[in-house]
Amino acid sequence: MFGLALVVLFVLIAAFFRGGEAARLLDLHAFVMVVGGTLAAGAFAYPMAVFLRMPQYFVMAVAAEGPHLPTVVAQLVKASDRVRQQGRAAAPGGPRDVEDPFLKQGLLFVAEGFEPNDIQKLMEAELSSIRARHRQGIGMWEGLGGFAPTFGILGTVEAMVAILGNLTNPDKIGLDIAVAMVATLYGVGVANLIFLPVATRLKKLSEEELRVRQVMIDVLVNIQEGSKPEYIRERLRVALPPETRRTIAALSERRTRRTKAQTQPVMQAPAGYDEFGDEVYGTVPQDQEMY
């Protein structure tokens, strides 16, 4: 969302510096040619079910953040502990323990006693379906980013043909050519400010989601194989980004120090002896040093 707001801000700043000349960039003919032509080409090139999801894809690109990996890691660690302590039937946990449908389905496979290879095959098949759906949306926005500049050039050429076919007023040729170039500007601008950035954002979200889901598959297979909890925790730790690892390590170290401080007994030395068991023959004033 921040990136889109930044793009709009810079466009408005550029228009402000152009002053009154910026009004010449508003041309209905160019807008209809570029936007209408691009959408028409997209509706023809892609399945209607995919094309009609354009608003949904746009909202995902603007607002979605992708799966929260630390939360997924915490859920998998809890599932591993439940299996170790209560058996495989406890893997799914309670109704509020896991909200992700992909992970919940995998935990149900574990609870039902599926073989590790079967779990991997089933979940990787679902992962392939997710990847294919993502490619449809990404491919459509990339295609629209290619159509828009072409329709911009087409609009400019169409306007130039009309200008060159009517040269009765040479004084207006310069202004007419400038207006004709607006269509090219619209085409390049819409492609590079909207269509291609949305496609790139969707691609990044897809890559992160697929990576997290692959981690889910690997860990669920490890759980079903009966791998050691230490191995599962290490497998999950290496999946985290470096800054998250450092944060977790710092919190763990702090928790360990606090636990030791709370459980360590306080040794009281008997009267006449210090804490090392050595006999004390006198006291030393606090403002003096002993050598």
Side-chain angles (χ1 to χ4, degrees), residues 1-2 4 50-66 137 140-141 194-195 197-199 201-202 205:
M1 187 65 182
F2 173 76
L4 181 62
V50 177
F51 181 76
L52 293 178
R53 294 183 65 189
M54 274 190 65
Q56 182 178 348
Y57 286 126
F58 182 79
V59 172
M60 289 173 56
V62 172
E65 295 295 336
M140 181 184 66
W141 282 90
I194 299 179
F195 294 137
V198 168
R201 174 65 174 164
L202 290 174
L205 290 173

Side-chain angles (χ1 to χ4, degrees), residues 6 23 36 43 60 67 73 93 99 157 170 208 234 244 279 290:
L6 198 62
M60 289 173 56
V73 169
E99 297 181 357
V157 172
E208 179 63 17
E234 183 63 20
T244 306
E279 190 173 0
M290 177 178 289

Side-chain angles (χ1 to χ4, degrees), residues 275-286:
E275 65 270 24
F276 301 104
D278 297 329
E279 190 173 0
V280 178
Y281 294 98
T283 58
V284 181
Q286 294 183 358

Side-chain angles (χ1 to χ4, degrees), residues 67 69 72 76 102 120 123-125 127-128 130-131 206-222 235-236 239:
L69 183 56
V72 172
L76 286 170
F102 185 84
Q120 185 169 4
M123 298 194 72
E124 285 185 350
L127 194 65
S128 298
I130 294 173
R131 184 182 294 109
S206 175
E207 291 173 355
E208 179 63 17
E209 180 179 346
L210 294 175
R211 185 179 76 88
V212 172
R213 298 202 183 285
Q214 186 61 55
V215 171
M216 294 179 187
I217 295 174
D218 295 343
V219 173
L220 289 171
V221 170
N222 293 147
R235 172 67 183 88
L236 291 169

Side-chain angles (χ1 to χ4, degrees), residues 130-194:
I130 294 173
R131 184 182 294 109
R133 291 197 298 270
H134 289 181
R135 285 177 178 172
Q136 286 183 331
I138 295 169
M140 181 184 66
W141 282 90
E142 287 179 338
L144 294 175
F147 295 150
T150 303
F151 277 100
I153 295 174
L154 182 61
T156 296
V157 172
E158 181 185 5
M160 290 295 294
V161 169
I163 292 170
L164 296 177
N166 184 15
L167 298 177
T168 56
N169 191 354
D171 296 336
K172 293 182 58 180
I173 291 179
L175 180 59
D176 292 340
I177 293 176
V179 173
M181 297 299 295
V182 171
T184 300
L185 176 65
Y186 280 9
V188 175
V190 169
N192 290 277
L193 296 178
I194 299 179

Side-chain angles (χ1 to χ4, degrees), residues 113-124:
F114 282 52
E115 292 295 327
N117 288 338
D118 294 337
I119 293 176
Q120 185 169 4
K121 290 178 181 178
L122 289 171
M123 298 194 72
E124 285 185 350

